[in-house]
Amino acid sequence: MSLNEQNPAAPTAPRSLAEALRARDDASLARLLRARPDLLGPVPNDLTQLATRAGTRASVVRALDRLDRFTQQVAQALAVAPEPAAYGTLLGLLPGEDTEAALPGAVATLREQALVWGADDQLRLVRTARELLAPAPQHPSPTGLGPTVAEATAGLSPTRVQEIVAAAGLPSTHDGVSAVAALTGLFTDPARMSALLDEAPPQSIDVLNRLVWGPPYGQVTAQPAAHLRWLLDRGLLLPTAPGTVVLPREAALHLRGGRAHRELEPVAPAVREKAAHRPQVVDATAAAQAYTALATVEELLKDWDEGGPTVLRAGGLSVRDLKRTASALGGTEAQAAFWVELAYAAGLVAADGEADERYAATPAYDAWLERPPAERWSRLAAAWLVATRTAGLVGGRDGKDRTLSALGPHLDRSAAPEVRRRVLALLAELPEGTAPEPESVVDRLTWERPSPAARELRTRLAEWTLSEAEFLGVTGRGALSAHGRALLGEGEGEEGAAPDVRAAATARAQELIAPLLPEPLDHVLLQADLTAVAPGPLVRPLAEALAVLADVESTGGATVYRFTPGSVRRALDAGRTASDVHAFLARHARTPVPQPLTYLIDDVARRHGHLRIGAASAYVRCDDDAVMSEILADKRAVPLRLRRLAPTVLAAQVDPGTLLEGLRSMGFAPAAETPEGDVLITRAHAHRTPPRAAPEPVPEGPAPADGTLLDAAIRAIRAGDRAATAPRRAAPAHPGGAELPRTAAAETLATMQAAVLTGDSLWIGYVNAEGAASQRVIAPVRVEGGFVTAYDHTAEEVRTYPLHRVTGVAELEPDAT
């Protein structure tokens, strides 16, 4: 008698994946659905359907690709092990002290993700995974093993199999099945196998050694050499196709000492330390770079303030516009692409959607400018962390050999947010102030996701993440800063972290970086060489006014502005007077206003507007006819085609703008005037797009479900499974044998009324208004007016159903619910 027969209460081993899932608790099912979100689209009706979906090829491939290297090696070992495999057998295929410690966790992961089911003495890989990982000529196994003796001899004639058995020193058998079993027994018996190999010629052993770790296939001629013939005669090499032979799996395992893999990697490679700095130095360096990042984004959008580059027909920036932007920002094209894509991801720049479509700042940019520096930085950093836009791809080629352009299509990579979070999480595991070796970070990510299809992209994403985090000020000197650590947040390293968790992490990062960013200043230092030095960031009104009055000469820790006749004239054109400029400088200068600067302002103001330009095509008027004569006598005025109409008026054959610039290039300071004769005040026109939302990240497959959806899905699956598997009391037979319960209307009503009194649950068939039939488990509460109000175990809520849509009812066993 078996143990289960002696103790009826003992749990029986599951006979299928569906039964294994049925034995799980809700927390375990939630972990499965979180790890494999594709199983929820749509929500399965019951656990049998969930098991079926978990075994589909696409889902299994996706799940296998997301396993770490050692867990994949465990799955590969199970694919070449006998089925079912005991835990001890698996441990024998994966020997080693580190393996023994890591194997339980790997098996638990495979079981939790529904890739393996069964007790430890009967581990079974789901059929699709076995088909994908088992050795085959079309797709060799990563273990390097070949087919079993039984698989390799399937195409041999019984006579040939008997010849091999005899040559191997085994007694002949009466049928091919027993012959194959005998040969398999020989190859799996260490003592007899060693004795057989002791008789082998040295050259035969050399051949086996070349095949033992894979690939196990080799080529032979029609007349093989003696050492090859020896192996062929004894089944150590078995033919699989004309001219092709294979080393059977059992023989290879003996030669390997039972190992499924040459090298096992049960322990993740450590992230090595490159340098260590004081945490305060790291935070200060990162904050300085964060301030530079803010200034760079502002400079970019200021450059595009009146309308940026045109949008290519296929979308994105042209190579020429990207080069010009890089030159304006003082960096490389790769860096310019990063800043442009960052501004786009944060919703600060977009296409304006007009007929001649151009890129421009969005209305959100103006609101962003008004926020404190820490808040502005946190918005950029949060957008970068979740963005699937990948600036590092700019300049490369897509699958159709098209150039990938900044802000263009085809730059989304779904793996980017996950890799960024994981890289930051690895940096967070190091001691504070420690910078890692980039190669070790890449090695760790490769171990965690070794799929060849994803390896190259993830490597490049990791390298880009390390450099972009430094640009943005998330790291300083290669080490994760305190505000960068906060940005990652608790739970933020997990894919699909809830929005409120991300918001809390962003707020905490903002709080930490705020004291490290320099406070805006309301003053500058004026110097005698017609320059002004801003020793730090300026308050916005001062910075905007100074940008009109002077030209930026250099940037860095301090910004140097230079006053020129052209810059002063620009301020006068914007409506300021000389007295306004003097008062502005006196109010914001911590040093006395140098005399050369006062003279410059007064000189430009005295000459400003002395000449007036209007539209004739264009005209020049001036109260001083000597000045008019001087203009006419100047050879540089010839292109303007001027003609004197009166002593104080000249007419031109060019438009007012060309005339204005032409006279300014000759050293005059003309002012444009309105048709009424007033000075025309010119200000830069800020071009903005209509309201635009930031681009949504493109998820990699179905998005992970949140807790609420998981709870609802599990309730629905459990209820559907309960309805499909609940034991039912014997009911009278009804014609048709339909799947849904069928009872007469009077019996349905009487049964429901009785259940209201007894509190029993019922199994009903129900057809909705669209004609869709379903099974439900309900506990009736009230029956009146042709309706039944009941607690629906499927939906886990109280619902009301019309009785005429209930096809029938059956009572459940008392413990069915």
Side-chain angles (χ1 to χ4, degrees), residues 110-393:
L110 291 171
R111 186 181 278 129
E112 185 172 276
Q113 297 198 21
L115 295 170
V116 167
W117 59 276
D120 283 351
D121 60 341
Q122 290 186 328
L123 294 174
R124 297 177 184 271
L125 198 62
V126 295
R127 183 180 59 189
T128 308
R130 177 174 286 274
E131 292 172 353
L132 289 168
L133 298 176
Q138 297 78 16
H139 51 86
S141 168
T143 62
L145 293 168
T148 63
V149 172
E151 293 167 346
T153 57
L156 297 182
S157 65
T159 302
R160 178 56 185 153
V161 174
Q162 293 293 345
E163 290 174 354
I164 292 173
V165 168
L170 298 173
S172 61
T173 63
H174 298 290
D175 58 87
V177 175
S178 56
V180 170
L183 192 60
T184 302
L186 169 64
F187 290 168
T188 54
D189 187 327
R192 288 193 294 160
M193 188 65 172
S194 297
L196 177 63
L197 293 175
D198 288 342
E199 302 172 2
Q203 290 177 304
S204 300
I205 298 298
D206 291 341
V207 171
L208 295 177
N209 289 337
R210 289 199 298 271
L211 301 177
V212 65
W213 291 107
Y217 295 91
Q219 302 294 320
V220 295
T221 62
Q223 298 295 327
H227 65 283
L228 294 175
R229 172 55 61 189
W230 191 92
L231 295 171
L232 289 165
D233 288 344
R234 289 155 181 79
L236 292 170
L237 292 180
L238 291 170
T240 59
T244 302
V245 293
V246 66
L247 176 64
R249 186 185 308 171
E250 294 85 352
L253 284 172
H254 174 83
L255 293 167
R256 296 180 176 193
R259 299 174 65 90
H261 297 83
R262 174 177 283 185
E263 294 181 1
L264 292 172
E265 298 182 59
V267 179
V271 176
R272 299 184 297 275
E273 300 180 4
K274 180 180 181 181
H277 310 281
R278 288 191 301 113
Q280 296 84 351
V281 173
V282 170
D283 293 346
T285 304
Q289 189 57 46
Y291 170 71
T292 302
L294 293 178
T296 304
V297 173
E298 288 185 44
E299 186 67 25
L300 167 68
L301 273 299
K302 187 184 297 181
D303 188 49
W304 291 6
D305 200 46
E306 298 183 50
T310 57
V311 181
L312 292 174
R313 184 179 302 174
L317 287 180
S318 68
V319 174
R320 179 181 59 192
D321 286 330
L322 183 61
K323 287 181 178 179
R324 192 194 64 78
T325 302
S327 177
L329 297 180
T332 65
E333 292 173 40
Q335 291 170 348
F338 169 68
W339 296 119
V340 168
E341 285 290 342
L342 178 64
Y344 177 60
L348 305 181
V349 66
D352 59 15
E354 297 180 0
D356 182 17
E357 197 169 30
R358 308 178 72 87
Y359 288 108
T362 65
Y365 170 67
D366 297 310
W368 178 78
L369 280 178
E370 299 302 320
R371 308 310 302 166
E375 185 176 339
R376 285 187 282 139
W377 176 84
S378 66
R379 176 168 174 178
L380 292 179
W384 168 75
L385 192 61
V386 301
T388 54
R389 300 281 301 180
T390 309
L393 295 170

Side-chain angles (χ1 to χ4, degrees), residues 401-424:
D401 201 37
R402 296 173 298 194
T403 301
L404 295 171
S405 57
L407 298 181
H410 314 302
L411 287 184
D412 285 288
R413 295 297 181 270
S414 303
E418 184 219 338
V419 172
R420 291 194 194 104
R421 291 190 185 98
R422 187 57 189 145
V423 168
L424 295 185

Side-chain angles (χ1 to χ4, degrees), residues 519-566:
E519 287 292 331
L521 304 175
D522 62 353
H523 65 272
V524 293
L525 307 176
L526 299 178
Q527 302 185 108
D529 61 349
L530 299 180
T531 61
V533 177
L538 300 177
V539 293
R540 185 151 306 283
L542 174 57
E544 291 175 350
L546 200 57
V548 176
L549 183 58
D551 298 324
V552 176
E553 189 169 82
S554 65
T555 58
T559 304
V560 178
Y561 295 86
R562 178 165 294 280
F563 298 94
T564 67

Side-chain angles (χ1 to χ4, degrees), residues 674-691:
T674 66
E676 292 76 20
D678 299 322
V679 174
L680 179 64
I681 296 175
T682 58
R683 294 185 177 89
H685 172 66
H687 179 61
R688 293 291 181 266
T689 70

